[in-house]
Every structure is written in structure tokens, then in C-alpha cells.
Amino acid sequence: MSSLQVLCSGLPLRPLPENRGRQAGVPHAPVRTPGLSLEEKQLALRNALRYFPADVQELLAPEFAQELQLYGHIYMYRFCPDIEMRAYPVEQYPCQTKAAAAIMHMIMNNLDPAVAQFPQELVTYGGNGQVFSNWAQFWLTMFYLSKMTEEQTLVMYSGHPLGLFPSSRSAPRLIITNGMVIPNYSSRMEYEKLFALGVTMYGQMTAGSYCYIGPQGIVHGTVLTVLNAARRYLGIEDLAGKVFITSGLGGMSGAQAKAAVIVGCIGVIAEVDKAALEKRHKQGWLMEVTDSLDRCIQRLREARKRKEVLSLGYHGNVVALWERLVHELDTTGECLVDLGSDQTSCHNPFNGGYYPVQLSFTEAQSLMASNPAVFKDLVQESLRRQVSAINRLAKEKFFFWDYGNAFLLEAQRAGADVEKKGAGRTEFRYPSYVQHIMGDIFSQGFGPFRWVCTSGDPQDLAVTDELAASVLEEAIADGVKASVKLQYMDNIRWIREAARHRLVVGSQARILYSDQKGRVAIAVAINQAIACRRIKAPVVLSRDHHDVSGTDSPFRETSNIYDGSAFCADMAVQNFVGDACRGATWVALHNGGGVGWGEVINGGFGLVLDGTPEAEQRARLMLSWDVSNGVARRCWSGNQKAYEIICQTMQENSSLVVTLPHEVEDERVLQQALQL
């Protein structure tokens, strides 16, 4: 078993580690079919071998070629480390800077088998959210981080560590870009080739920026979404006896079962991959499991009658579940579902993100590799069937929403009936959860703020929970708008109950939704607690890139931008650059996170709090920009809530100066001008 010291000593070459190949008994990424020519295969092999000296290339070349042939990518399984992969306490990493040790802590958490979806393929979540493209990149990155000083910056090109470059103490220690492909070539087909060549990578949102905190991150978002959906569509606060139907128990989607229990409803989640379903059951995130559709419906009925809190995993295809619910409605007149969504990885529908109902899981995986064109046809037919069933149920008192996984976008491309008459390009028959259900939270500056206690000590996490709750309670006591108070109250409830729901998988981390004022205050409180040793080690602040300013995504985060700029990506890029200028420890800019390659640009950050005054100053500057950038953009797109927030922020901070937009108050001005 390797040690952390060995892990940071560079590529293991003398001797080479034993080639153990793919590990049996763990989930593996679907086989890719990039369709490379012979010349492209040679280039992929050359690109992989350039990490190794000439004296081992002859040995490695055949096995790398075999990986490319069998799996569609060179992962370098020989170099998968022989170590328990997890987030070790930060003081155990052999580093020269606290920042580098914190980054190592985050990287290893992303690859922890309890956290990662396909750990041997370096996939954290979403079916293809890579931490690195291959294991050589992992070893080199750990080596660079162990050598890094406070006057160097490590540069990452789509998983490839370019090197340590001279920098300054105030600059980021790490700058990451993933998938920055020239726009005309940012297509799925091109991506599969470029990834197979080893020159670009899909980092999802927080996989390739090392900020993933396990399914907890989306538990909280799902809790808030279901609560707000019940308020908006059902007119209720108490979800006892209400049924929420969805699909996916993999990486991010694995959170849905736990969220259903927290809100007190009946959650039925379909999952085709038995390994993913059993993983969540063993972790205690899923109460019951069945592979019988009859039993599933029977159990659902029992729970509804008793108003029982239940998370039930159905091992089967969600299309079969939706169609069975239609059958029950048509034969009994009873609609057994109140709320519904989907969290399959539809951003990647033809390579394992969505499985067709016509085939078993193993049959689908086989066809995916042997005949991609037929597999695509079956997926699209399955999408049409799923939408047809949902449309039938929606004629009753049932409400469906798009969870930002590109489900409705892919359904539209498949020819499903999801059109909304008179709508713009970003709207469908069913609403985006960002746009409708979450109460336009991004315009008010609320988003998924999170932190990681690098000591690995649950007691440190408990202290941060208490600090965060107290900060939000104090903010309410000082007086806030009703809409802001509702968000704070939901998050106080969440953070007060978080520990008893056993949400931690991997690193000692927490998440809550907060605005600019709340984030800064929580960061300052945590930093002061580190300074006085109430918290024993540095804390890493981050967020999902899915946030106020971090993401330009016309079918999700920016779906409610109506000034014509929904397909522009200035905000995410400015967010990335602005965070780097204002003190972030690391920054990341990605193509494709969340809703698919070529559909979004998103930026994220990591900020290490170490108890120093400098860390507090960085937090104040960077977190303020990280929120106000997106609020200001929404203000200029005509959003009234964002306008009010920017006005209030300018009153509180004279350093913020934004020229506010003017509305066209008389529509006749436009009409008369256009008549000319």
C-alpha cells in the first residue's frame, strides 16, 4: 500500500507498478466509441506515451493501445494508485503550503470510491465528469503540488498539469481550464475524438475543479426544490403523503432519496444500474429497494394511505415506471404521483447517461458499444415515450419540472411533444426548476455556497454548522426582505438538521444556499474560528459552479435572461477572471458542465481560509464579486429583483458603482419606431 509521501514523489517508474488492469467488482464507465482513424489512434498513443521516458514506452504502448481499443480511451490502469483513496487530514500531505495540501485533500476526495461514480476511470459524477483524463496526470499533479511554494501557480490544461510557473503570493495557486474548445468545434462528435486523443476533458462542474462534496451538494438543492414546488404547485408546506417520482441514483442524482426523506414525502426513484442503487442503499440514503414494478406500485399506495415518509428505489427503467403510472390512472382513475422530475445524465444521453426502456442494462451497454446508431434511435424513442406518459399525467393534478439535466432539450431533439406555444428558445412545456420553482433565487444572489473542513474532524464541521446558522439568524434579526427571509429560514432549518441526516460522504463538508451578505459573514466567522483554534485546520470555501455568476447556461441557470444574451458567456468568463484577481486560491473555467458539451460555460473557485487577516480580506473581496457579478448581469437583463438587490448593495458599499438600466415605459415608442 502506497503512502502519501510516495504519492507525491512523481510517476512511479523504477520499478513500474504491476499492471492489474480494470478492477473487478467496482462500477466502470461505459465503453466509448470515438471512431478514430488509424492515424488518430497513433496520435492518441503518442500523446499517452509522452508522459513516460523512452525505456518504458515499448512495454506500455501495447497495453495503452489495448485500452484504447477496448474502452475508447487510455486511462492508464497500471498507474491507478495502490492507496486508500480518500480525503486525508490536511496535515498529513507532504507540502510546502497549506493551499497545496488543501487542494490535494479535495482531489483525493473527488476520487474516493465512496464518492466517485467510476473511480478507476477518474469520473466523479454525471457519467463523464472527469477529475483527470488519465492516471499519469494525477501523479504529476500531486508531485507539483508537493513542490509548490507561495510564489508559484500550477496551470492545468484539461486534466494535463502544464507545470509550476513563477507567480506572486496574491495570485491563485492553481488555474484550471477544462474543455476550452474553439466554438465551431465544440460538438459531441468532436469531443469524443478529442477526449480519446487525450487533449481535452469534460470536467462537469465540480469534478474537474476538485470541489465535489458527494451527493450532499444536491441533497440540499433538491430539498429546496421540492419544498418550493409544493408551495408553488400544490399550495402546501407539509408534504406528508405526497409522491415525488424521479430517476437516477448515481453521482449527483444519488441525493434524491435522502432529499425526499428530509422533506417528508414519498420518493420513488428509478435506477437501471443495480450497483448504483445498492451503493445508495448501503450508505443509508435509500430506505427500500425493489425490482418489481407491481411491488413498487403496491408500496407506493401503502405509503400514500399511511402518509408514510419513504424513499423507495425501483431497480428498473423510469420509462416503465411512468407508463405504469399512466396505466394505473387509466384503469383506476387514481393519479398516484404529485410531483415529478428527472435526474438521468441526459447531457450525455448516448454514452451511458440515459438508458432505453427497450433493453436491459447489460444489453444496452453492449449495444452502445457495438452499434451506437441503433442505440441512439432507441434512446430517442424512449425519450418520446417518457414525455408521452408525463404529458398524460400532467392533465391531472400532477406537476413536472426540468431539473437542468438537459432532459427536455434532448427530448425536443428526439421529437417528443415538449414544445410551448409562443415560447422562446430556452422555454419548454415544463418549467426549469431554476426559473420557476426556486423563486428566481439567482437574481437575489442566492446559490449553493459550500465548505470543507480539511482536518477531517466531524467536530470541526459541527462548529461550522453552528456558526452558519447563527450568522443567518443574526441577519434575520437585523431585518431583511420577506423573500430573503424565506430563503434564510429554509437554510437555517437545513443546517440545524444536517448532522442528524448523516449527509457526509467523503470529506467533512457542508452546503447551504446563501446570498452575498450571508456568504461573506459565514466566511469571516469561520476564519475567526480558525484563528482562535476553535476549528483545528484550514477550511476550503467553494460552491457548485451552478450559481449566481458562475454559469452561462441558456437551458438552466440563465434560462430566464430575456434580453437576448442567454447564449452569451461573458459572465462566466468574467467571474473566473474576477475571482482570480480578488484572492481565490484556485479558479476553474469549464465547457459543458451540467447540461452537456457545448451547451454551457461555467466557472468556479476554491478559497482556503487559514485564520489569517489576509484570508479574511480575500474572502470579503472575492465572495462579494462572485455574487454581485451575476446579480448585476440580471439587473441589466431587466430583472426587477436583481435591480433591487444591486441598489441595496450600492447603498451598503460605496465602492460598488453600477449605472442602472432604464426601462422602455411606453411600448408605443418601439412600435412607432419600427413602423418607420
Side-chain angles (χ1 to χ4, degrees):
M1 180 70 73
S2 300
S3 66
L4 290 176
Q5 192 72 46
V6 171
L7 207 62
C8 297
S9 59
L11 275 167
L13 300 172
R14 309 284 188 272
L16 287 171
E18 177 189 358
N19 183 17
R20 294 167 293 164
R22 270 195 170 195
Q23 182 181 342
V26 299
H28 288 287
V31 173
R32 294 180 175 275
T33 53
L36 300 183
S37 67
L38 177 60
E39 292 75 15
E40 288 167 332
K41 290 177 182 178
Q42 290 175 342
L43 181 56
L45 196 55
R46 183 180 293 113
N47 288 344
L49 290 172
R50 63 186 171 179
Y51 289 101
F52 303 94
D55 63 324
V56 299
Q57 289 181 358
E58 187 174 356
L59 173 65
L60 296 176
E63 67 187 59
F64 287 175
Q66 185 180 42
E67 287 184 17
L68 185 62
Q69 183 68 27
L70 292 177
Y71 311 122
H73 187 75
I74 300 171
Y75 296 105
M76 306 182 184
Y77 289 114
R78 177 190 288 267
F79 295 95
C80 183
D82 182 23
I83 189 172
E84 183 186 356
M85 191 69 73
R86 62 182 176 85
Y88 290 84
V90 72
E91 69 274 5
Q92 295 184 21
Y93 292 98
C95 295
Q96 299 186 50
T97 73
K98 292 178 182 178
I103 294 167
M104 285 185 177
H105 180 93
M106 302 289 281
I107 288 173
M108 292 189 72
N109 183 67
N110 269 238
L111 294 169
D112 181 342
V115 174
Q117 187 177 12
F118 305 124
Q120 273 210 301
E121 288 76 40
L122 303 110
V123 172
T124 301
Y125 71 96
N128 60 350
Q130 304 285 149
V131 185
F132 300 101
S133 180
N134 59 57
W135 284 106
Q137 295 174 348
F138 168 83
W139 283 93
L140 287 174
T141 300
M142 297 297 278
F143 169 74
Y144 282 132
L145 288 169
S146 71
K147 301 298 182 186
M148 176 189 286
T149 71
E150 292 285 358
E151 295 183 341
Q152 290 175 311
T153 293
L154 175 60
V155 177
M156 303 294 299
Y157 274 23
S158 290
H160 170 69
L162 195 65
L164 289 171
F165 293 86
S167 189
S168 69
R169 297 179 68 88
S170 61
R173 299 280 68 80
L174 177 65
I175 295 189
I176 304 166
T177 52
N178 284 312
M180 290 292 107
V181 173
I182 302 300
N184 278 356
Y185 304 91
S186 188
S187 67
R188 281 182 183 154
M189 185 179 297
E190 290 287 348
Y191 168 71
E192 289 298 331
K193 287 195 173 187
L194 292 170
F195 180 63
L197 292 175
V199 294
T200 198
M201 187 181 87
Y202 188 90
Q204 264 288 354
M205 288 194 158
T206 51
S209 64
Y210 322 141
C211 290
Y212 187 65
I213 61 167
Q216 178 187 172
I218 203 170
V219 172
H220 183 37
T222 306
V223 165
L224 292 181
T225 301
V226 176
L227 281 175
N228 282 303
R231 289 166 178 158
R232 183 181 182 102
Y233 299 130
L234 305 179
I236 59 173
E237 292 282 342
D238 182 2
L239 280 98
K242 300 301 179 182
V243 177
F244 173 51
I245 301 288
T246 184
S247 57
L249 284 166
M252 296 291 278
S253 59
Q256 297 182 103
K258 177 69 79 172
V261 172
I262 292 173
V263 301
C265 72
I266 301 155
V268 182
I269 307 98
E271 171 59 63
V272 294
D273 184 352
K274 190 174 183 179
L277 186 140
E278 289 180 342
K279 179 178 181 178
R280 297 305 174 202
H281 191 222
K282 288 176 182 177
Q283 288 175 340
W285 285 53
L286 189 61
M287 293 167 65
E288 297 180 18
V289 171
T290 182
D291 59 4
S292 165
L293 202 47
D294 288 340
R295 173 59 181 161
C296 182
I297 296 299
Q298 178 191 5
R299 191 69 185 89
L300 188 161
R301 275 199 164 96
E302 291 172 357
R304 282 184 87 218
K305 185 176 181 180
R306 300 171 185 166
K307 293 191 174 181
E308 180 182 351
V309 175
L310 173 68
S311 59
L312 174 62
Y314 166 57
H315 180 217
N317 197 291
V318 73
V319 180
L321 177 57
W322 284 120
E323 290 181 339
R324 176 60 181 270
L325 291 167
V326 170
H327 173 76
E328 295 297 322
L329 173 62
D330 289 342
T331 56
T332 70
E334 186 178 16
C335 185
L336 296 175
V337 56
D338 302 284
L339 300 170
S341 191
D342 187 278
Q343 275 197 31
T344 52
S345 297
C346 260
H347 69 277
N348 183 36
F350 311 123
N351 197 40
Y354 184 95
Y355 282 83
V357 68
Q358 304 92 331
L359 303 173
S360 70
F361 182 59
T362 53
E363 288 171 342
Q365 287 193 311
S366 176
L367 185 64
M368 189 192 311
S370 65
N371 198 331
V374 172
F375 181 80
K376 178 179 178 180
D377 287 343
L378 292 178
V379 164
Q380 292 192 319
E381 179 189 332
S382 195
L383 283 165
R384 291 192 295 271
R385 284 174 57 177
Q386 181 169 344
V387 168
S388 178
I390 290 166
N391 287 350
R392 170 67 186 93
L393 292 163
K395 293 177 181 178
E396 309 300 318
K397 196 179 180 183
F398 159 70
F399 301 91
F400 183 87
W401 65 86
D402 186 291
Y403 220 137
N405 61 337
F407 171 72
L408 291 181
L409 180 61
E410 287 303 326
Q412 180 190 54
R413 289 168 175 167
D417 182 13
V418 295
E419 300 294 332
K420 179 181 178 181
K421 291 182 180 179
R425 293 170 65 189
T426 63
E427 293 181 280
F428 300 98
R429 174 193 291 251
Y430 301 105
S432 158
Y433 81 109
V434 172
Q435 186 176 348
H436 283 249
I437 296 170
M438 296 297 276
D440 205 9
I441 58 169
F442 290 164
S443 298
Q444 299 181 79
F446 280 86
F449 182 55
R450 54 175 66 163
W451 58 90
V452 175
C453 298
T454 65
S455 65
D457 187 342
Q459 183 55 40
D460 276 0
L461 185 62
V463 173
T464 63
D465 284 349
E466 182 57 40
L467 290 171
S470 297
V471 162
L472 298 186
E473 287 168 345
E474 289 172 12
I476 291 174
D478 289 341
V480 292
K481 291 171 56 180
S483 58
V484 172
K485 181 178 179 180
L486 178 63
Q487 294 288 343
Y488 278 174
M489 291 298 293
D490 282 346
N491 280 280
I492 290 167
R493 170 185 167 185
W494 159 266
I495 206 76
R496 290 287 186 202
E497 296 181 4
R500 73 180 182 86
H501 286 291
R502 297 188 302 157
L503 297 167
V504 169
V505 176
S507 59
Q508 293 293 317
R510 191 68 77 221
I511 180 173
L512 59 75
Y513 275 57
S514 188
D515 57 357
Q516 176 181 324
K517 187 175 182 179
R519 296 185 205 203
V520 171
I522 291 169
V524 169
I526 290 174
N527 195 61
Q528 291 173 351
I530 296 168
C532 68
R533 300 296 296 166
R534 189 179 170 198
I535 296 173
K536 292 179 283 299
V539 170
V540 175
L541 302 183
S542 72
R543 55 162 168 74
D544 197 337
H545 298 197
H546 157 73
D547 195 24
V548 182
S549 305
T551 301
D552 283 300
S553 180
F555 295 100
R556 192 163 78 177
E557 286 82 359
T558 46
S559 61
N560 60 346
I561 298 291
Y562 298 128
D563 67 348
S565 69
F567 291 88
C568 300
D570 300 82
M571 181 176 72
V573 176
Q574 289 284 1
N575 189 252
F576 164 81
V577 175
D579 284 353
C581 293
R582 290 170 176 82
T585 309
W586 72 93
V587 288
L589 187 68
H590 297 179
N591 169 13
V595 296
W597 187 259
E599 302 287 357
V600 53
I601 299 294
N602 64 79
F605 75 87
L607 176 64
V608 176
L609 299 178
D610 60 8
T612 61
E614 292 79 12
E616 179 175 323
Q617 178 65 5
R618 286 172 179 242
R620 290 183 184 277
L621 284 174
M622 200 220 73
L623 293 175
S624 295
W625 162 255
D626 196 64
V627 174
S628 60
N629 170 39
V631 177
R633 189 265 180 99
R634 286 170 170 80
C635 168
W636 267 89
S637 75
N639 187 290
Q640 183 60 33
K641 289 181 181 177
Y643 183 98
E644 293 169 1
I645 293 294
I646 281 294
C647 289
Q648 179 183 338
T649 306
M650 282 197 290
Q651 290 175 0
E652 296 171 351
N653 185 352
S654 60
S655 295
L656 174 65
V657 181
V658 175
T659 303
L660 299 172
H662 298 284
E663 289 293 319
V664 176
E665 295 181 1
D666 188 346
E667 290 292 320
R668 289 177 299 175
V669 172
L670 305 179
Q671 296 165 3
Q672 291 171 2
L674 291 172
Q675 285 174 1
L676 295 176

